[in-house]
Amino acid sequence: MTTLHLPLDRSSGHPIHRQIYDGLRRAILEARLSPGQRVPSTRALAEDLGVSRLPVLTAYDQLLHEGYLEGRTGSGTFVSAAIPDDLLTPPQPPEARAPARRVRRATPAAPRPRDEGGLGPFRISLPALDRFPHAIWSRLVARRARTLRPGDMGYGDPAGLVALRVAVAEHLRAARAVRCEVEQVLIVSGSQAAARLAATVLLRPGDRVATEEPGSPLIRAALGAEGADVVPIPVDEEGMSVAALQRRGGRVRAAYVTPSHQYPLGTSMTAARRLALLDWAHREGAWLLEDDYDSEYRYVSRPLGALQGMDAHERVIYIGTFSKVLFPALRVGYLVVPATLRQRFVDARETFDLFSPTLYQLVLADFLREGHFARHLRRMRGVYRARRDALLSGLARHCADRLSVTNADAGLHLAALLEDGLDDRDVVRRMAARELTATPLSSCYAGGSGRSGLLLGFGGSTERRLLEATRVLGQVLER
Ligand SMILES: Cc1ncc(COP(=O)(O)O)c(C=O)c1O
């Protein structure tokens, strides 16, 4: 068993659990503790340090939560085997870099950012595909493929596989405070498909549907696809403006909102605004389409529960997706609909594409039921926080005088406003010439002119690539 040198300074004013956490984390990052290595039990370490077990447990919990440590039932706690090289040699300014005692491979020259088929740095809506648990996933796929029964190979339930609906309902109740029965859950091909389905069921040609301004152009297109009139309603720092919604006058049948993490600006809808919106929907007999596309990742405080869970009058249609928490090519998302609407949604879904592929629904149900999903989410929170921090520090270092970040508390991307006079579409064109992908903020506005800014994804790139990409972005902005 390793003896760890973790000097504690009781007079420093820093909580003991934080000092233990920092010391262990540093030991892992500097490779004094290597991936797969067993760490002392909490009891042994507490004894060693002459402290109670509580601060040690707190530190271990945090490190487990962030994916630095992993527990193996019955055999103890280990340094995570999956710590990537770019974490082991954390990107820091050269003057601040401590000599690492051991690195797992020679550090290559800083890679040139390339947009590898849309996977380049800053690409929005991409999760960390490099950290996907391929070994577990392929084992589950192979197992299900081998044991597929004739009943799994015919026509499936248009509402989705029951086992997957049960697992999704349990997850949503526990993690998002969604109030639902399994019957209210429908499995669909992603949240884009969910929005389109909701438009088919709830809107007639000429009906008005409110969308957030700025908002997702793809979702706007889905909501307006069958002739509904899309009405952009401005978003302020609290969320969609209910006052502006009321000022529009006339009947608005539905409003589409992203309360957990406003797309694209990144704010979270306040509790007061949520209540005002629910009240509006109740009074008007309107529907609220809640798109909870990446709420699992929040870095500053506990996420507020879903709007759906606060709704006493069954006005909310809740939409979620596995695209950000697993991978977009999976094409699996879900809806939670009021019981009174269920049959209409199921019937409409059947007219689209009948049902979602059974094999992947079976695999996904196993993935959730066996705890892999919860573990993956816990690990990824730490990964994304580190990536976000790398992006923020790169922007502060190379681009601070040209752009300002609006909000980076959650999700896999952030929005940054460009200084006056810089046109975002022009900047994005110049970035493309340097093989950087970004999305102009102005493209998210339905009405005429929008604010000039950049949407910068950080989920899909390592910290090293993000830092290098911000250096190149700094050069692009200088010209
Ligand atoms: C706000 C928002 N909703 C929905 C989607 C689509 O997600 P899905 O892959 O589940 O269709 C995206 C895609 O990035 C998005 O940004």
Side-chain angles (χ1 to χ4, degrees), residues 104 119 147 236 238-239 258 309 323 359 369 375 386 388 393 450 460:
R104 287 169 84 205
L119 300 182
T147 57
D236 60 26
E238 293 201 55
T258 49
S323 289
L359 176 62
R369 214 171 30 210
R375 202 168 308 121
R388 175 201 70 152
S393 78

Side-chain angles (χ1 to χ4, degrees), residues 195-241:
R196 181 73 200 260
L197 183 60
T200 305
V201 173
L202 305 176
L203 304 170
R204 298 283 154 267
D207 278 354
R208 300 203 302 167
V209 55
T211 56
E212 293 173 327
E213 177 78 335
S216 159
L218 269 178
I219 295 282
R220 270 201 302 272
L223 295 175
E226 299 196 29
D229 185 9
V230 177
V231 182
I233 300 291
V235 167
D236 60 26
E237 57 288 351
E238 293 201 55
M240 179 183 269
S241 162

Side-chain angles (χ1 to χ4, degrees), residues 216-477:
S216 159
L218 269 178
I219 295 282
R220 270 201 302 272
L223 295 175
E226 299 196 29
D229 185 9
V230 177
V231 182
I233 300 291
V235 167
D236 60 26
E237 57 288 351
E238 293 201 55
M240 179 183 269
S241 162
V242 177
L245 194 53
Q246 283 163 335
R247 272 200 303 276
R248 291 293 303 204
R251 178 120 201 255
V252 174
R253 287 285 302 174
Y256 165 90
V257 283
T258 49
S260 303
H261 186 223
Q262 203 276 329
Y263 185 87
L265 295 177
T267 45
S268 166
M269 192 184 285
T270 58
R273 187 60 60 84
R274 287 167 194 240
L275 291 172
L277 200 56
L278 286 167
D279 185 52
W280 168 82
H282 177 48
R283 277 188 286 107
E284 298 290 319
W287 300 106
L288 294 174
L289 306 177
E290 173 179 23
D291 186 353
D292 213 20
Y293 64 105
D294 69 1
S295 60
E296 289 83 358
Y297 300 118
R298 187 158 186 87
Y299 313 113
V300 288
S301 55
R302 271 180 63 77
L304 280 172
L307 182 68
Q308 194 269 6
M310 302 168 73
D311 173 20
H313 301 287
E314 307 223 315
R315 304 314 303 173
V316 177
I317 288 93
Y318 177 89
I319 297 173
T321 180
F322 287 102
S323 289
K324 309 288 163 35
V325 284
L326 294 178
F327 57 99
L330 188 59
R331 303 313 307 143
V332 178
Y334 43 86
L335 287 142
V336 178
V337 301
T340 47
L341 291 177
R342 179 189 188 264
Q343 199 53 50
R344 286 172 62 196
F345 269 87
V346 174
D347 291 347
R349 198 279 150 93
E350 198 165 20
T351 67
F352 273 169
D353 59 347
L354 299 182
F355 66 101
S356 293
T358 304
L359 176 62
Y360 282 108
Q361 292 192 67
L362 287 163
V363 173
L364 203 42
D366 292 345
F367 193 77
L368 267 78
R369 214 171 30 210
E370 293 175 19
H372 306 299
F373 182 64
R375 202 168 308 121
H376 181 58
L377 281 186
R378 278 199 301 276
R379 290 213 175 114
M380 297 317 286
R381 254 179 226 127
V383 170
Y384 291 131
R385 180 188 287 121
R387 291 182 178 190
R388 175 201 70 152
D389 290 349
L391 176 56
L392 286 173
S393 78
L395 291 176
R397 195 151 148 200
H398 300 294
C399 314
D401 51 344
R402 296 292 157 110
L403 48 76
S404 58
V405 173
T406 60
N407 188 307
D409 292 349
L412 306 182
H413 79 273
L414 56 80
L417 300 177
L418 284 163
E419 70 164 4
D420 282 352
L422 281 173
D423 175 71
D424 56 6
R425 290 173 200 261
D426 180 47
V427 170
V428 166
R429 263 193 301 276
R430 285 192 279 129
M431 287 172 74
R434 301 290 305 273
E435 297 172 317
L436 295 180
T437 320
T439 305
L441 175 61
S442 62
S443 69
C444 296
Y445 287 81
S449 59
R451 285 199 276 178
S452 177
L454 299 174
L455 305 187
L456 301 173
F458 54 81
S461 298
T462 62
E463 291 146 78
R464 196 194 303 262
R465 291 186 81 202
L466 287 165
L467 281 175
E468 170 60 9
T470 53
R471 193 183 62 74
V472 178
L473 175 57
Q475 291 169 358
V476 170
L477 293 174

Side-chain angles (χ1 to χ4, degrees), residues 106-118:
T107 309
R112 210 165 142 245
R114 290 189 307 125
D115 186 1
E116 291 145 358

